[in-house]
Amino acid sequence: VAVRGCGGVWRRTWQRGSGGRDPTPRRQLAVACNARGGAVPAGKSGLAPWVPVVGLEIHAQISSNSKLFSGSQVQFAAPPNSLVSFFDASLPGTLPVLNRRCVEAAVMTGLALNCSINKKSLFDRKHYFYADLPAGYQITQQRVPIAVNGSLSYSLCIDNKMSQMVTKTVRIKQIQLEQDSGKSLHDDTRSQTLVDLNRAGVGLMEVVMEPDMCCGEEAAAAVRELQLILQTLGSSQAVMAEGQLRVDANVSVHHPGEPYGVRTEVKNINSIRFLAKAVDYEIQRQIEELENGGTILNETRAFDSKLGCTVPMRDKEGKQDYRFMPEPNLPPLILYDAKSLPANMNHQQVVNIDWIHERLPDLPSVKRAKLVEQYGILPEHSFTLLNEDGLAEFFENVVKQTQMKPKKVIGWIINDLLSHLKQHSLTVKESPVSSFLLADLLNLLVKTDISSTAAKQVLAELWKGEGKTPLEIVKEKKLGLIQDQEELEQICQAVIDRQENEVIMMVLG
Amino acid sequence: AALRGEWMRFQVSAALKEGHVTPTELCQRCLSLIKSTKFLNAYITVAEESALKQAEESAERYRRGQPLGVLDGIPIAVKDNFNTAGIETTCASNMLKGYISPYNATVVQKLLDRGAVLVGKTNLDEFAMGSGSTDGVFGPVRNPWSYSRQYKEKSVPKSHSEDEESNWVITGGSSGGSAAAVSSFTCFAALGSDTGGSTRNPAAHCGVVGLKPTYGLISRHGLIPLVNSMDVPGILTRCVDDAAAVLGSLAGHDPKDSTTIQDNFKPFELPNLTDVSKLSIGIPKEYHAPGLSSEILALWSKAAELFKNAGAKVIEVSLPHTRYSIVCYHVLCTAEVASNMARFDGLEYGHRSDMNKSTESMYAATRREGFNDVVRGRILSGNYFLLKQNYEKYFVKAQKVRRLIANDFAKVFGSGVDILLTPTTLSDAAPYMEFIKEDNRTRSAQDDILTQAANMAGLPAINVPTALSERGLPVGLQFIGRSFQEKQLLTVAKWFEKQVKFPMIQLEEVKRHDHCVFQHQKSASFS
């Protein structure tokens, strides 16, 4: 059982640290968590406690048919360099042409994150030499990004008690549109670098979250909520394992009342679980470094998921000066709303913010509230339903097809269906038991044709996916409850008859 | 042969239409003239095979009576910084020597789609950085007028042996190859590029029409950039009508270039202006720049008189910020150059050094071997201006000054002035030996001084060949118009062209080649 919530994390990390993998066993360190505002444990030898500060920079790949500035297709795991246009390879004389779909995705995301959308935003060039950046610069939005000043609310449990959930808010500084880079593949044995430009030029939304978080668990919860929002909007598939969502964490610690400490940037985090680990490790490392009289360098560190620690990255030697300048080949990006939309404008050529706003789907928070209200389930169950892709729909389908109360159905969904799926690493869509079959089974239970124990046995049979209906299984395995009074009496009589001595003893007392 | 005398009176495209000459004949004449004027070094690549094939296809269209328009069968040349599919595009640089682009620049495609015959790619300063067409890896371009009867008669060689080698004059640049090609009759029209005057300057020195259209009117897609925010494809022809015809086939929105105008462009034919009394011609006093030769000053005044005498209103105007144009350009140009040149790293295309110690050392060696000193110098200063600590001080300031320069023009045009009349260059073309005494940077700063501001403001401007200097070399004047008012600009230019009757170049090579086709002014045009 994982220990959750800020307070507990430190103990847990410490325990894990002393478990053997970590070369230097760590002492438990005093930590204050500003967000919880609870009692603050004193630091070593009576020093002031530490306040960790965590900010995030998240790159979400835009889900679009073609790239941000070229017509090449966007597709994961295509043969190397098969999705590269002349522009993507930076052939001389080629020019960027902005993809409208990418702009709409960014506007949608900005609106969902309560941002103000800039009606005029600008593109800039950010220069650095790297093999997977063919033009020698990335087109991004440094000066005036498409969306600014938003917020994201997310919830997390305290001390792993599902019943104790708190909702927090992180400010969104900005969302900017920019190009993804290609991929460099280093072949160490032949000491060569191979470049795949399939990803070069794919549209990214960089979401910058202010340093409003204070531990790995909060960072993880915020990213998970963002991921759900992006997936709901369809603006990004946001699958971390496929690099569609990449998270860099800025971490620092300071004493209460003092300015923020020197921060490090942790990269190379490729799952939400590792995000929590990486952030907590880095906080602990910094505290220990400082308590031992050391200093924190403003550096980039990589998370090593095997060792569970962060290590300095050596790729950027010296200070980088990106020599930003305006992208001269793209005019300012102008967006309209109902008020500013010129009457004679071709609707195919403009992006109307209000039009997009009206068509936003229900966001996860709204969906959860609706589930709680409509079905009377617990709020924490609504989180579970939305956290698994397709589970909420599955639940609703079962509810529709059964007489069982939703409050009871949710137990079967979470305790039986979900745990079984997890055990076998299956997604909801891959479930061998359809919502129809589960509803069928639950109906037998409601009509008290079978007992709860028997229902579990039937479910176990259903997992085999042999195409039998619950009723067939009940009959085959003779799991039905006997409803006939006479038959029941006969069975009882038979039992009594076989145990004559015991019956006499009982009668005699 | 009987037809020869007759078709002299016709313009070439009419001659093609009526079958007096075939596209193939025309193409062959140009190709052989390219060979006999090879010493001009106007061309980097001659596309003989594909040109003849295109000419043959054009001939077939004429045979069927379905030519594609006024450009069908017309031999043209393209500056070697425009991408041409299947034909080398070098930018006169080691970096792109041997580089064959997989696509056509939009302007090239448009010309080909209208049946034009691409005879070759013309010489330039490396990556169009220069004002002499002397700084390319394929050597300097020689001004055809160096070999004209007019120049030879007037220049007095110190000694006979020195004559040919030391007296030849430069074409100006950076589109010197295109200007020389048009001037020496090896093609009827050529594309140049114009960032600070690179089309108008060589046009003035070579005695041809050089049009820099409004920024955004013609697609830059496929033009290898110098300064994206100022580059415009330029048009070089032997008369204003031809420039209008080429403009008509190139202008308009290109979905591949987001900086082009959204509206469709309507091609136009130029009217013969008879009454200029409604015109208001502005004479910007700041163009009376230090170093302006007395000859050109006199010519400029004469031209103003010409308009005045014809009834036009001629007024002196002021463009006070023009004098900051060059220094401002220096910052903006080098900054964009530093950025645009970043892609030449030897990985995807172009030159790659054998140095393989590390990726970084490969980059460094590739760029050192691939670029000349001029390009490397501009990259260096551009990167300096873009450093975080310098950005506000230089780049932002230069952008603000650019706005002031543009505002100056807007005020003058807002006050009722229709067209500005200025010199194009400070003097006639310098002998090569003189020209190379100064470095590229000094030369560019001097030579762009009268042309540069139009690029800052994005305005259309045209060089019209006006007269011969005392040395027998061409001198041109520049007209600057309002944004997207090309028709008005060209109409006035055409009227002026008709008044000044600029003389034909008299070249031995051309005479030897064809008495009829090229000697007559009219037959030298196609529209």
Side-chain angles (χ1 to χ4, degrees):
Chain A
V1 179
V3 179
R4 286 174 177 251
C6 284
V9 168
W10 314 112
R11 197 177 337 118
R12 186 68 192 177
T13 312
W14 148 240
Q15 285 165 351
R16 219 179 278 137
S18 61
R21 271 183 180 169
D22 199 314
T24 54
R26 293 174 188 281
R27 288 163 292 108
Q28 185 178 348
L29 297 167
V31 151
C33 197
N34 53 358
R36 289 193 73 202
V40 168
K44 187 181 88 171
S45 58
L47 285 174
W50 294 100
V51 182
V53 173
V54 181
L56 300 174
E57 280 169 30
I58 298 154
H59 288 90
Q61 226 176 52
I62 297 170
S63 171
S64 59
N65 293 329
S66 60
K67 294 183 180 180
L68 182 55
F69 296 121
S70 79
S72 340
Q73 217 191 311
V74 176
Q75 192 191 313
F76 182 69
N81 294 311
S82 62
L83 308 172
V84 185
S85 70
F86 298 154
F87 174 79
D88 304 329
S90 79
L91 293 201
T94 52
L95 299 169
V97 179
L98 183 58
N99 181 346
R100 182 196 158 101
R101 154 71 193 161
C102 294
V103 174
E104 288 171 342
V107 170
M108 223 188 271
T109 307
L111 291 171
L113 296 178
N114 310 303
C115 291
S116 21
I117 307 296
N118 279 324
K119 292 205 186 118
K120 177 182 174 182
S121 61
L122 304 170
F123 290 96
D124 304 282
R125 291 180 179 181
K126 176 182 179 177
H127 299 88
Y128 59 96
F129 280 107
Y130 208 75
D132 54 27
L133 186 75
Y137 56 81
Q138 176 198 36
I139 303 178
T140 177
Q141 295 194 299
Q142 192 232 358
R143 291 166 299 163
V144 188
I146 190 163
V148 292
N149 298 333
S151 64
L152 168 70
S153 291
Y154 61 95
S155 300
L156 70 166
C157 324
I158 293 172
D159 298 330
N160 198 35
K161 286 183 195 128
M162 283 299 273
S163 54
Q164 276 187 286
M165 296 198 76
V166 288
T167 298
K168 298 192 170 182
T169 299
V170 54
R171 288 168 298 150
I172 308 288
K173 184 170 179 248
Q174 64 183 59
I175 300 173
Q176 63 199 50
L177 278 167
E178 60 184 35
Q179 295 172 297
D180 209 340
S181 63
K183 279 181 184 165
S184 298
L185 309 154
H186 303 286
D187 181 346
D188 286 333
T189 49
R190 270 183 280 182
S191 91
Q192 60 180 6
T193 300
L194 301 169
V195 180
D196 177 8
L197 295 180
N198 281 353
R199 204 181 66 178
V202 171
L204 292 178
M205 295 177 280
E206 182 178 336
V207 180
V208 182
M209 290 187 186
E210 299 279 14
D212 296 342
M213 292 152 286
C214 72
C215 64
E217 210 57 50
E218 285 189 8
V223 169
R224 178 63 187 134
E225 188 67 11
L226 175 67
Q227 189 179 35
L228 279 176
I229 290 172
L230 296 173
Q231 288 167 344
T232 304
L233 297 173
S235 61
S236 170
Q237 286 170 296
V239 179
M240 279 186 92
E242 292 183 8
Q244 289 150 349
L245 195 70
R246 305 194 280 273
V247 183
D248 300 336
N250 291 310
V251 177
S252 70
V253 299
H254 65 280
H255 291 304
E258 286 177 14
Y260 285 3
V262 176
R263 65 174 202 209
T264 59
E265 187 180 10
V266 184
K267 288 181 177 276
N268 208 20
I269 302 168
N270 47 29
S271 78
I272 289 183
R273 201 162 55 89
F274 288 153
L275 169 64
K277 274 191 181 180
V279 167
D280 287 340
Y281 176 91
E282 185 57 19
I283 291 171
Q284 184 126 356
R285 184 192 72 81
Q286 290 188 10
I287 293 173
E288 183 162 313
E289 187 71 40
L290 292 167
E291 293 214 333
N292 288 335
T295 51
I296 303 300
L297 299 173
N298 181 6
E299 63 178 353
T300 305
R301 300 176 68 88
F303 180 66
D304 186 323
S305 58
K306 284 198 187 106
L307 296 176
C309 65
T310 66
V311 290
M313 278 174 87
R314 294 190 189 280
D315 68 334
K316 285 180 190 168
E317 280 171 35
K319 215 176 139 198
Q320 283 270 336
D321 190 322
Y322 292 118
R323 290 159 286 130
F324 284 101
M325 68 164 230
E327 166 56 64
N329 295 318
L330 290 167
L333 170 56
I334 306 292
L335 304 175
Y336 297 91
D337 57 18
K339 266 188 218 155
S340 65
L341 190 70
N344 58 347
M345 206 62 139
N346 181 354
H347 285 259
Q348 293 297 309
Q349 284 183 347
V350 298
V351 172
N352 182 342
I353 301 167
D354 290 335
W355 195 89
I356 293 174
H357 205 165
E358 284 159 22
R359 282 157 185 79
L360 281 186
D362 276 350
L363 294 178
S365 56
V366 176
K367 265 197 212 164
R368 287 189 201 106
K370 281 189 180 170
L371 286 170
V372 169
E373 195 187 336
Q374 189 175 349
Y375 301 111
I377 60 174
L378 295 170
E380 52 266 34
H381 287 154
S382 70
F383 275 89
T384 313
L385 284 181
L386 257 69
N387 272 341
E388 294 304 320
D389 189 26
L391 192 60
E393 290 74 19
F394 194 102
F395 165 72
E396 292 193 281
N397 283 336
V398 174
V399 168
K400 263 183 230 156
Q401 299 170 71
T402 175
Q403 292 90 44
M404 188 183 267
K405 282 187 178 149
K407 269 183 184 177
K408 284 193 170 172
V409 173
I410 193 73
W412 283 90
I413 295 283
I414 291 173
N415 300 329
D416 297 283
L417 179 86
L418 188 59
S419 60
H420 187 92
L421 291 175
K422 291 234 159 132
Q423 227 169 4
H424 295 86
S425 306
L426 292 172
T427 63
V428 176
K429 275 191 193 123
E430 291 164 340
S431 171
V433 178
S434 66
S435 59
F436 175 75
L437 280 181
L438 184 60
D440 224 14
L441 174 63
L442 297 184
N443 280 338
L444 289 179
L445 194 60
V446 173
K447 287 187 283 177
T448 62
D449 285 345
I450 53 170
S451 68
S452 177
T453 323
K456 300 218 168 175
Q457 269 177 278
V458 175
L459 189 57
E461 284 297 312
L462 285 174
W463 283 121
K464 292 177 187 166
E466 287 167 346
K468 291 176 196 158
T469 65
L471 196 61
E472 281 166 358
I473 296 169
V474 167
K475 279 187 178 155
E476 203 175 282
K477 301 260 169 188
K478 296 199 169 61
L479 293 170
L481 289 177
I482 298 155
Q483 312 270 349
D484 185 331
Q485 182 76 24
E486 226 167 277
E487 194 187 344
L488 273 172
E489 279 175 13
Q490 276 175 18
I491 290 169
C492 292
Q493 196 57 54
V495 172
I496 293 165
D497 291 351
R498 261 181 276 146
Q499 313 287 340
E500 211 170 319
N501 289 336
E502 281 82 355
V503 174
I504 290 166
M505 295 295 283
M506 278 174 70
V507 172
L508 291 176
Chain B
L3 292 170
R4 276 191 158 187
E6 194 180 331
W7 83 262
M8 267 175 61
R9 295 193 311 274
F10 288 83
Q11 292 156 336
V12 171
S13 102
L16 283 167
K17 218 169 178 177
E18 288 167 26
H20 296 159
V21 65
T22 68
T24 308
E25 282 173 326
L26 208 54
C27 178
Q28 277 165 340
R29 274 177 196 150
C30 285
L31 289 171
S32 66
L33 204 49
I34 289 173
K35 278 182 196 136
S36 62
T37 58
K38 202 172 185 309
F39 60 90
L40 294 176
N41 203 18
Y43 289 82
I44 291 174
T45 305
V46 181
E48 184 163 350
E49 207 177 304
S50 60
L52 286 169
K53 191 166 164 275
Q54 286 159 6
E56 197 38 59
E57 284 163 6
S58 169
E60 179 55 33
R61 286 190 293 270
Y62 277 104
R63 273 196 290 275
R64 276 180 311 181
Q66 294 171 324
L68 296 168
V70 72
L71 282 176
D72 203 344
I74 301 295
I76 51 131
V78 171
K79 190 177 180 180
D80 209 19
N81 59 352
F82 287 94
N83 282 277
T84 44
I87 302 169
E88 220 176 304
T89 300
T90 68
C91 283
S93 174
N94 275 326
M95 189 57 90
L96 285 178
K97 226 186 224 178
Y99 173 70
I100 294 182
S101 171
Y103 75 98
N104 278 324
T106 296
V107 284
V108 171
Q109 192 58 52
K110 282 190 169 184
L111 289 173
L112 295 177
D113 288 346
R114 279 156 185 78
V117 174
L118 174 61
V119 292
K121 302 292 291 290
T122 58
N123 204 348
L124 64 155
D125 290 298
E126 182 161 333
F127 282 101
M129 296 181 208
S131 59
S133 301
T134 52
D135 282 330
V137 74
F138 299 103
V141 186
R142 298 180 180 214
N143 192 326
W145 285 84
S146 314
Y147 306 94
S148 69
R149 195 166 58 80
Q150 292 102 322
Y151 179 63
K152 282 180 181 167
E153 276 172 4
K154 299 219 170 150
S155 65
V156 189
K158 286 172 211 137
S159 75
H160 198 72
S161 61
E162 240 182 294
D163 177 19
E164 292 280 298
E165 255 329 290
S166 66
N167 260 356
W168 63 269
V169 299
I170 60 150
T171 54
S174 63
S175 312
S178 288
V182 172
S183 163
S184 61
F185 301 93
T186 58
C187 64
F188 281 79
L191 294 183
S193 61
D194 195 314
T195 312
S198 277
T199 291
R200 288 159 288 158
N201 175 288
H205 286 325
C206 294
V208 298
V209 169
L211 171 66
K212 171 224 172 289
T214 309
Y215 183 86
L217 184 62
I218 301 191
S219 170
R220 292 178 294 113
H221 171 254
L223 164 62
I224 299 179
L226 175 58
V227 185
N228 298 290
S229 63
M230 295 183 220
D231 290 343
V232 184
I235 297 166
L236 296 113
T237 55
R238 286 191 286 269
C239 68
V240 176
D241 275 324
D242 284 0
V246 176
L247 180 74
S249 67
L250 298 183
H253 179 66
D254 179 8
K256 290 175 180 153
D257 178 356
S258 310
T259 62
T260 50
I261 42 153
Q262 289 295 323
D263 316 320
N264 283 322
F265 176 84
K266 266 192 202 147
F268 48 77
E269 272 190 31
L270 296 177
N272 280 311
L273 207 58
T274 46
D275 178 19
V276 295
S277 65
K278 287 193 183 71
L279 272 181
S280 174
I281 305 288
I283 309 290
K285 59 179 184 187
E286 287 79 8
Y287 281 68
H288 192 153
L292 187 67
S293 78
S294 53
E295 278 192 279
I296 291 190
L297 180 61
L299 200 64
W300 185 18
S301 308
K302 237 173 99 182
E305 283 299 310
L306 190 67
F307 276 100
K308 205 184 275 175
N309 294 340
K313 197 171 144 195
V314 178
I315 47 170
E316 187 185 82
V317 296
S318 175
L319 300 164
H321 296 96
T322 286
R323 62 198 177 106
Y324 304 115
S325 183
I326 286 294
V327 61
C328 170
Y329 175 73
H330 182 70
V331 174
L332 297 178
C333 169
T334 56
E336 283 200 36
V337 163
S339 176
N340 288 333
M341 295 294 144
R343 68 188 57 213
F344 297 101
D345 56 12
L347 284 186
E348 284 84 12
Y349 43 79
H351 174 70
R352 185 193 293 189
S353 171
D354 294 330
M355 166 72 72
N356 58 5
K357 253 192 0 221
S358 70
T359 310
E360 282 72 25
S361 62
M362 191 275 282
Y363 286 161
T366 294
R367 291 165 68 79
R368 151 121 226 134
E369 293 160 13
F371 294 139
N372 70 3
D373 288 350
V374 176
V375 177
R376 286 210 310 281
R378 290 200 192 183
I379 291 172
L380 199 63
S381 41
N383 277 320
Y384 175 80
F385 296 136
L386 287 178
L387 286 177
K388 206 175 172 189
Q389 78 226 40
N390 295 335
Y391 184 75
E392 286 285 327
K393 211 160 44 176
Y394 295 101
F395 191 84
V396 173
K397 203 178 263 180
Q399 276 191 316
K400 286 178 182 166
V401 175
R402 180 180 184 175
R403 174 59 58 88
L404 293 176
I405 292 167
N407 286 349
D408 280 354
F409 281 107
K411 269 182 216 156
V412 166
F413 286 125
S415 75
V417 168
D418 297 306
I419 303 277
L420 296 172
L421 171 64
T422 80
T424 311
T425 57
L426 293 174
S427 64
D428 58 3
Y432 177 70
M433 298 311 280
E434 285 294 315
F435 186 80
I436 57 170
K437 282 180 185 162
E438 297 272 21
D439 65 53
N440 178 293
R441 196 166 72 91
T442 314
R443 277 296 183 189
S444 299
Q446 284 168 359
D447 296 337
D448 287 347
I449 199 154
L450 302 170
T451 46
Q452 216 291 303
N455 297 81
M456 286 282 183
L459 300 172
I462 188 169
N463 171 74
V464 181
T466 307
L468 292 186
S469 68
E470 285 161 14
R471 293 193 297 152
L473 292 173
V475 173
L477 291 177
Q478 171 177 241
F479 293 89
I480 304 174
R482 292 192 179 97
S483 272
F484 300 107
Q485 299 301 312
E486 268 76 3
K487 188 173 180 185
Q488 186 185 39
L489 176 72
L490 290 169
T491 304
V492 172
K494 183 180 172 181
W495 179 85
F496 183 73
E497 176 187 51
K498 208 173 160 191
Q499 312 303 310
V500 295
K501 296 188 184 73
F502 181 73
M504 285 290 292
I505 184 171
Q506 292 175 22
L507 274 180
E508 274 306 310
E509 287 73 17
V510 176
K511 245 193 219 166
R512 272 206 307 274
H513 254 272
D514 196 312
H515 291 287
C516 312
V517 184
F518 302 113
Q519 272 183 325
H520 193 273
Q521 168 91 42
K522 264 200 163 175
S523 65
S525 74
F526 60 81
S527 58

